[in-house]
Amino acid sequence: NARILGNFRLLARALPGGERIRVRLPLIPGHTDDPDNVRAVSSIVAGTDPAIAVELLNYNPLAEAKYRRMPDREYALAGGRPCFDAEMQTLRNAAAERVHVL
C-alpha cells in the first residue's frame, strides 16, 4: 500500500483543501465491508486532508452471473451479497466519525 498511499498524499498536496478529490471505497464482502476497515481508511483520509470526502460503494453482485458463463473461470466472491440498508448505515457512521461521507 505504500505506493498507493504515497500517490494519494501527493494528489492531496497538489489539490489543497480536498477540492475535486473523492475517495471511493468499494465494499467487498468479507474484505472491506467491516466498520474497522472503514474507520482505518477514513483515518488515513482525515489524516491526509480532512476536507476530502469518502463515498462508500455497496457491492454489486452482477459479475457473478457473467462468470458462470465462463466455465474456466472461478468467481472469488461467489455468494457475496450487498450490504443491507442497516449495515450501510453502520458503515457510514463509522466513516463519519472521521470524515465527510457522501
Side-chain angles (χ1 to χ4, degrees):
N1 286 341
R3 179 176 280 181
I4 294 167
L5 294 173
N7 286 338
F8 173 64
R9 290 182 179 112
L10 183 66
L11 176 65
R13 282 194 303 272
L15 300 170
E19 56 189 71
R20 297 186 313 264
I21 299 175
R22 175 184 297 179
V23 172
R24 301 180 88 199
L25 177 58
L27 300 171
I28 308 301
H31 297 278
T32 62
D33 65 342
D34 68 83
D36 289 337
N37 180 68
V38 171
R39 280 187 198 95
V41 171
S42 299
S43 290
I44 291 168
V45 172
T48 302
D49 187 337
I52 297 173
V54 171
E55 181 178 4
L56 302 178
L57 304 174
N58 205 353
Y59 173 70
N60 185 335
L62 293 177
E64 188 170 353
K66 293 177 183 179
Y67 271 79
R68 277 192 230 119
R69 293 189 302 236
M70 298 183 292
D72 57 327
R73 302 283 309 265
E74 182 180 333
Y75 187 58
L77 299 173
R81 64 161 180 80
C83 294
F84 296 120
D85 290 343
E87 293 167 316
M88 283 298 293
Q89 191 57 52
T90 297
L91 296 172
R92 282 189 196 97
N93 292 343
E97 294 171 7
R98 292 163 172 85
V99 294
H100 174 69
V101 179
L102 299 174

